[in-house]
Amino acid sequence: MTEEVFRLLATPASDGKKISNREGANKHWTVKMHDVARKLVSVTENKRMARFLEQPTLVLYNQVVTPSLKPSLLAAVRRKEVPAGRSCKMEIKDAVEIFRKNDLLDDIVPLIPQVYDNKIRRAVAKALSGEQVKKEYRKEGLKILENGLQRAKDAVIGELEGVLPGLDEAQDWLHEKVFSKFAEEDLLKARVPTYDETDRKLENAIDKFIEIAKRGDEEDGNHRRGYDSESSEGGDGLDLAEDIMDWLQLLGEWPNKAEAAAIWDKVRWENSAGPFGMNGIMSSLGYEFEEKRWYLSEGIRTMNKVFACADMEALSKYIPKTTTSGSFTFTSRPVILT
């Protein structure tokens, strides 16, 4: 009943006797009926406002908001207003989402450093991506995008470091014993059907790299836990590959393609070999974790293919595509197998 009053309530006609609105749904109302309805709306809105101040969350905002109450709710969000003596306060991520739903970019930008949820950060960046948005705000969106792509890549490397105790030692060995013996074009070359002596030596080097990475550093009595090939611990809630693809989708949807290309130049690998400087290592690591740590295997393979792309044209085949049909939206993502 109250919601019907919100919908039907209108301003009294100039003659003060009848109530009218644009749709004519309540033109039969008298001034007295109108006054009663106004009081009902006022009481209801006060109760809704009190509920929101008691528990200022995005969920409750969506439940209590009405066109007439919205300005007061937004003002409360800006003040983070709570009843005297209460310790409750609004989560920053909820405040940002409320501002974003209302296109209040001036309120969003100062809060960006306090938002850590990746999904919300992507939504904020998208809201700041439009060509009509202030240039300084769009720069903030680009910072979020660059940081998100970099952190998604670093998360895979970080997880590798966590499960391969000898990774640093393996990298040192690679630089000292391998890079000095092979020409750069050999280290970075793509595999070809003709298998030669250089290929065999490189494959042996990759096997040795993984062997060292899997064992712990035991020098000087510093015994670290070695790699456990049977362990499937870790990775709870992690989807390293999906995180990369989510940020990649935002990059692909960025309206200004020159800005997007500039960001990609900053975060991609400088050469096709990736962080360890030698083709084949990342692929081998992907297979190494395929059975027991699938989340890491998928993350390695996705990172290996995506961040090796030299430009947006090469990257385009990996960018998720979104299509809309009626009220349904579908996102298609490439399957990266090797």
Side-chain angles (χ1 to χ4, degrees), residues 53-54 56 76 79-90:
L53 294 179
E54 182 73 18
R79 296 192 303 269
K80 303 182 187 64
E81 185 177 23
V82 296
R86 299 279 184 172
S87 60
C88 67
K89 63 179 182 180
M90 168 162 274

Side-chain angles (χ1 to χ4, degrees), residues 178-306:
V178 178
F179 285 6
S180 60
K181 296 181 179 180
F182 291 91
E184 183 176 354
E185 58 267 22
D186 289 330
L187 294 170
L188 303 181
K189 73 176 183 176
R191 294 307 169 96
V192 294
T194 55
Y195 187 83
D196 59 20
E197 181 65 13
T198 299
D199 288 317
R200 186 184 67 78
K201 290 180 178 179
L202 288 174
E203 286 192 354
N204 289 340
I206 291 172
D207 291 341
K208 182 66 174 178
F209 174 91
I210 293 177
E211 178 188 338
I212 296 172
K214 287 164 62 175
R215 73 186 186 215
D217 178 10
E218 300 180 355
E219 294 181 3
D220 301 323
N222 179 25
H223 300 284
R224 294 188 294 176
R225 178 180 63 82
Y227 168 76
D228 182 1
S229 63
E230 297 302 314
S231 172
S232 59
E233 295 179 357
D236 291 344
L238 283 178
D239 196 329
L240 302 169
E242 183 176 1
D243 195 34
I244 292 173
M245 299 306 284
D246 284 341
W247 287 107
L248 201 62
Q249 182 175 349
L250 178 60
L251 178 73
E253 294 174 349
W254 198 266
N256 189 310
K257 300 309 177 186
E259 291 176 344
I263 290 296
W264 187 246
D265 272 343
K266 290 182 179 180
V267 300
R268 68 178 179 85
W269 293 333
E270 293 184 1
N271 60 58
S272 62
F276 304 122
M278 182 171 162
N279 274 338
I281 287 182
M282 296 303 293
S283 296
S284 297
L285 286 172
Y287 284 114
E288 182 69 30
F289 297 105
E290 187 171 31
E291 185 174 344
K292 294 294 183 180
R293 297 177 185 268
W294 62 268
Y295 73 95
L296 181 53
S297 176
E298 291 298 305
I300 292 170
R301 289 172 176 173
T302 301
M303 177 183 69
N304 186 34
K305 290 294 185 181
V306 166

Side-chain angles (χ1 to χ4, degrees), residues 52 55-66 69-71 73-74 77 90 94 97-99 101-102:
F52 181 73
Q55 188 182 6
T57 65
L58 173 63
V59 172
L60 195 54
Y61 171 87
N62 290 333
Q63 292 175 358
V64 305
V65 68
T66 63
L69 190 58
K70 182 184 290 186
L73 287 170
L74 292 176
V77 174
M90 168 162 274
D94 283 1
E97 276 294 270
I98 289 171
F99 291 142
K101 287 167 67 75
N102 292 281

